[in-house]
Amino acid sequence: MNEAFADMDMALSGAREDDAALEFRRKWPKILLFFLAFSPAVAMAFAMATHAVDVPMWDGWERGELWQRYYAGELDFEYLDSPHIEHRMLTGRLAILVGGWLFNGDVRFEMWLTFAAALATALLLFYVLRYTLRGSPALWPATFLINLLLFCPQQYSNYIWAIMFAVYVPFLCLAVILAAWVSPLPLWCKTLLGVVAALVGSHSFSQGLVLWPVAVCMPLFTILPGGWRPKLISAGVTLLAATVALLYHFGPTFLNSSDISHAYGTPTGERPSSFESFSKVPENRGAAKRYFLSALGNPLARMFGSDPRETARDVGWGLLVLAIAALVFFFWRRRDRETWPRLLPWMAAGSFAVSIALLLALGHPTTPSRAVMPRYIPMTLFLVIALIAIGAYAATWWARTAGDRKSRGRRAAYASGVAAALAVLAINLWVYGLYKMQAWKEARLEERAALTYVNLFEPTRAARIDARIDFVRKQAAVLDRHGLLHPPLLKEWGFGPYLPQRTRLSAKKAAVTRYLVGDDSKLHIDGHALLPGGRIADGVLISLRPKGGGDDDWGVIGFAEMRALHALNNIFLDTQFGHGPNLVYIEQYARFRGSADLPDPLPDDELEVQCWAIDAEKMQSFRVGDHIALDR
């Protein structure tokens, strides 16, 4: 009997294993398609891992004031939620604190939070897209195209600039609202999620305020059992929450807490002046219109290899026409109880993006060129995402309404061709973005090298660090005091964290082309330097030793800054915070220039000069050519 039961168990176990294997074979194509559709996220993660640098910059230096208050026991909710210009950045400041507690202030933690927010957004959009394209094979190419843009490295300044986590949170909150309203959750839960998401988003960055109209309108336009009563209750509760939230948002505490250099001229403690720009719109209608259209076209403006300032407006016109066509299609199919709910979330997403573009245009009516800043791309990206989703649905509907199988196949082929063309054009965005990512990394490494010695010399390339170097010194001192700055600031000249190597860079890669002792008793140095592997040096140390001395006798006396970045053949807007002019020859784009105070009085012994190229990524320094005798 026992043997019979054992045989039966073995048979059942084998059957279960066969069923599991059969189930896997049935699902593995979808699993493969899922990973292919999300491969852009993997590519961006790899790009971030190789390009992110642990150093604050510009607005990110405000973290010094945050930590100063924290360690002084003066940090309260009023400051945590205070406006950075007009943005209440509660979530961003909380992220800074968590990064300090868990990772000793490594700002890359915030960058990875940005990636996590983008990934969560992508997964929620995939959930909504599955609802829209139920069973349609268009789900996979549409998801791939959305992720190709959402994780595109042309957004380098969003993914590898630490403070931009706060900018991405509202987009995640929008995805939460859309996913909630297509889910089977009860009405009270959908309403609560909408309120919470709008509240979190509006206390991250100012575009989050547009989430409130989305949260109010979603129940009104959603088909719900019970007619208008549940719609009005849900919308009414959300509207009440929005009213209270907005009264607080723009209430007495709506005062800029950031340094004036980061607040477009608004002094600390004063109300942000952004809304005063609305009054300038009538006399700058043309510029405001250009800003609006350029903002809409910004996500795709670099797709064609031309100046995005010119291309963005034309692309914006095209996207606006497509948005109007989508709106016509949406209302033309309004009586279809299947089409309306499937397209509603994407109409909301597109409206969200268009509203942001309009508000940006009203707030910046005199500076339309700012609309194509790379960091502004996600502001209107959801219009493109919405059009991709609506286009995938329309293509599916168009193919299915064909009269015969041959016609359906032909229409599906046309739609596939459009999707493939978009994917091919997006390659240019990725190549362009990866190049800019490298330039950004170079700028941050040069910033790190200069920052190490910032208390010992006056940077002339300070725009890579901040508008005000005195502000940086103050904030960096706070971070350094509490172990939140890497590497720490040096209080006297030395190699510090940049360990000198015996390797001498070849004359083809590095050389001192000019040096002289000026009437100011300073040693002035010019030259160029590429590191092993061909990367531009991050700075150059100037050292002296007595003639005939050993390697341990070199004493650092000064720092020379690099004068440029890559051979950038593009506009200033896309090189902001990099500040690299258009250069061609190695002596230009890898050039350094600096000076150092000589000992006063000079010793009687003869002295030798040696320059060292800094690698701020590997924390090393390499000899630039042979040492030379100091000519007095």
Side-chain angles (χ1 to χ4, degrees), residues 82-389:
S82 62
H84 169 67
I85 321 174
E86 68 269 19
H87 315 290
R88 289 191 179 270
M89 295 179 62
L90 175 62
T91 58
R93 292 187 176 112
L94 290 176
I96 291 172
L97 292 174
V98 172
W101 296 330
L102 298 180
F103 300 100
N104 296 321
D106 191 328
V107 300
R108 288 173 295 185
F109 168 72
E110 296 161 57
M111 301 175 195
W112 285 110
L113 280 183
T114 303
F115 176 80
L119 183 59
T121 301
L123 291 170
L124 289 169
L125 292 178
F126 177 70
Y127 175 80
V128 178
L129 197 59
R130 283 187 63 194
Y131 172 83
T132 300
L133 301 175
R134 299 173 190 171
S136 171
L139 170 67
W140 304 110
T143 302
F144 177 74
L145 285 175
I146 288 172
N147 289 333
L148 205 59
L149 295 175
L150 189 60
F151 294 100
C152 183
Q154 69 168 334
Q155 296 188 60
Y156 57 92
S157 55
N158 295 319
Y159 279 104
I160 51 177
W161 185 2
I163 65 164
M164 301 307 278
F165 166 66
V167 176
Y168 250 86
V169 171
F171 306 120
L172 172 59
C173 293
L174 174 66
V176 168
I177 294 173
L178 301 182
W181 281 100
V182 302
S183 72
L185 293 171
L187 180 61
W188 69 266
C189 192
K190 295 179 180 181
T191 304
L192 179 61
L193 281 174
V195 170
V196 171
L199 196 61
V200 172
S202 58
H203 287 264
S204 297
F205 222 69
S206 59
Q207 81 268 21
L209 294 170
V210 186
L211 293 168
W212 286 112
V214 175
V216 170
C217 291
M218 282 301 291
L220 293 176
F221 288 93
T222 300
I223 299 174
L224 296 173
W228 278 97
R229 187 171 182 273
K231 293 185 177 187
L232 293 175
I233 292 175
S234 177
V237 169
T238 307
L239 182 60
L240 177 62
T243 303
V244 174
L246 293 176
L247 286 174
Y248 165 78
H249 193 99
F250 297 108
T253 62
F254 191 61
L255 303 172
N256 172 49
S257 63
S258 300
D259 185 76
I260 189 172
S261 61
H262 302 148
Y264 300 110
T266 302
T268 305
E270 293 191 9
R271 292 184 72 83
S273 58
S274 301
F275 298 103
E276 296 176 6
S277 301
F278 288 9
S279 61
K280 300 178 182 178
V281 172
E283 61 191 58
N284 295 281
R285 289 190 297 272
K289 176 183 174 182
R290 184 185 181 95
Y291 193 110
F292 172 71
L293 292 171
S294 298
L296 291 181
N298 192 24
L300 303 181
R302 296 161 179 82
M303 187 175 276
F304 307 100
S306 55
D307 189 334
R309 291 173 298 183
E310 301 301 326
T311 310
R313 180 180 56 179
D314 298 332
V315 174
W317 269 119
L319 291 175
L320 192 59
V321 169
L322 289 175
I324 294 172
L327 191 64
V328 170
F329 179 76
F330 179 63
F331 280 100
W332 175 55
R333 302 283 296 171
R334 69 185 184 279
R335 298 185 184 278
D336 183 354
R337 293 180 65 87
E338 182 177 294
T339 298
W340 180 275
R342 291 191 185 187
L343 294 187
L344 178 61
W346 305 109
M347 298 305 297
S351 301
F352 174 80
V354 172
S355 299
I356 291 175
L358 181 59
L359 289 173
L360 286 172
L362 294 175
H364 304 84
T366 60
T367 55
S369 61
R370 293 185 64 85
V372 294
M373 288 284 191
R375 67 178 185 272
Y376 288 175
I377 287 173
M379 298 296 179
T380 53
L381 182 58
F382 269 77
L383 174 61
V384 183
I385 289 173
L387 289 174
I388 291 173

